[in-house]
């Protein structure tokens, strides 16, 4: 957890077994025809599926993942609340809403010594290119001048995840 406090993130190898990633992708494909995800006629589709756990046991089980909860219990020893679950689908068209530099909600307007909110980003499919960029130290010492931060470029494998302080500036590509 010290790494999370210092660097703003922890890289988790194989949070999801590689062979199970296709099940998550298939579940999203099934959601395409379920309200409010009638996407075929939506020009404004930004690649975000909110609360996929409502229709998918795989996503529900991911929310209940013991490894994630062990980290959360250490970060927040008194208690914590799961705030939001989304699946962000990045396509070659780069239409996903997360392709711009951003902090995750609920971000703060001032740095904090300890994270007050944690995000978990899981990767489901292989990619030849970089999938995520992180602005190092943007959650603390470069909070106000994050453009001075060094960019860390990552291409996680299917099943890998990044657990990070929601104040860490990042973007998916």
């Amino acid at each position: 957890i010290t790494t999370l406090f210092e660097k703003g993130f922890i890289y988790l190898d194989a949070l999801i077994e590689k062979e199970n990633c296709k099940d998550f992708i298939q579940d999203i494909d099934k959601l395409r025809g379920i309200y409010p995800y009638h996407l075929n006629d939506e020009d404004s589709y930004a690649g975000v599926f909110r609360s996929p756990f409502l229709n998918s046991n795989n996503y529900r089980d991911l929310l209940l993942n013991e490894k994630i909860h062990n980290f959360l219990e250490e970060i927040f020893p008194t208690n914590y609340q799961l705030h939001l679950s989304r699946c962000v689908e990045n396509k070659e068209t780069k239409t996903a809403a997360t392709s711009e530099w951003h902090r995750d909600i609920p971000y703060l307007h001032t740095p904090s010594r300890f994270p007050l909110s944690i995000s978990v980003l899981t990767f489901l499919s292989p990619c030849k290119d970089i999938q995520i960029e992180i602005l190092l130290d943007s959650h603390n010492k470069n909070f106000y001048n994050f453009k001075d931060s060094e960019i860390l470029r990552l291409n996680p494998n299917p099943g890998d995840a990044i657990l990070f302080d929601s104040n860490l500036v990042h973007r998916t590509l």
Side-chain angles (χ1 to χ4, degrees):
I1 293 304
T2 303
T3 301
L4 174 70
F5 294 158
E6 292 173 2
K7 289 187 169 187
F9 71 96
I10 299 170
Y11 192 95
L12 304 173
D13 289 312
L15 179 70
I16 302 170
E17 291 183 31
K18 194 173 190 174
E19 57 273 4
N20 292 341
C21 290
K22 66 180 180 324
D23 296 333
F24 285 87
I25 294 168
Q26 288 172 355
D27 285 355
I28 287 299
D29 286 338
K30 290 176 190 172
L31 276 179
R32 289 182 201 286
I34 299 174
Y35 177 83
Y37 300 116
H38 297 288
L39 303 176
N40 295 337
D41 300 325
E42 285 292 322
D43 292 334
S44 63
Y45 168 61
V48 177
F49 292 87
R50 298 194 184 281
S51 305
F53 61 87
L54 293 175
N55 295 297
S56 165
N57 288 338
N58 289 315
Y59 284 94
R60 186 212 58 217
D61 292 346
L62 183 59
L63 283 176
L64 301 173
N65 181 284
E66 185 176 349
K67 191 171 187 178
I68 292 173
H69 285 276
N70 287 340
F71 280 113
L72 294 175
E73 288 169 0
E74 191 171 344
I75 297 164
F76 307 114
T78 56
N79 206 346
Y80 57 90
Q81 176 182 0
L82 296 174
H83 168 63
L84 175 66
S85 171
R86 302 182 306 162
C87 177
V88 178
E89 179 182 49
N90 287 350
K91 295 284 190 184
E92 291 180 7
T93 58
K94 297 189 183 291
T95 59
T98 59
S99 62
E100 299 294 327
W101 290 112
H102 68 281
R103 301 180 199 276
D104 282 356
I105 295 172
Y107 58 84
L108 304 174
H109 297 286
T110 186
S112 173
R113 185 170 173 208
F114 301 103
L116 300 178
S117 178
I118 296 293
S119 297
V120 180
L121 185 58
T122 54
F123 296 84
L124 300 176
S125 55
C127 185
K128 293 182 234 173
D129 301 316
I130 301 301
Q131 295 186 69
I132 183 169
E133 293 180 331
I134 295 171
L135 294 179
L136 297 176
D137 300 320
S138 58
H139 69 295
N140 56 22
K141 73 178 183 181
N142 288 341
F143 188 90
Y144 295 111
N145 56 341
F146 61 82
K147 292 184 179 185
D148 294 340
S149 297
E150 180 183 340
I151 299 174
L152 175 64
R153 293 174 173 90
L154 298 170
N155 187 10
N157 293 313
D160 290 354
I162 300 173
L163 187 138
F164 59 97
D165 184 329
S166 297
N167 273 327
L168 189 68
V169 177
H170 63 285
R171 67 180 176 180
T172 54
L173 303 170

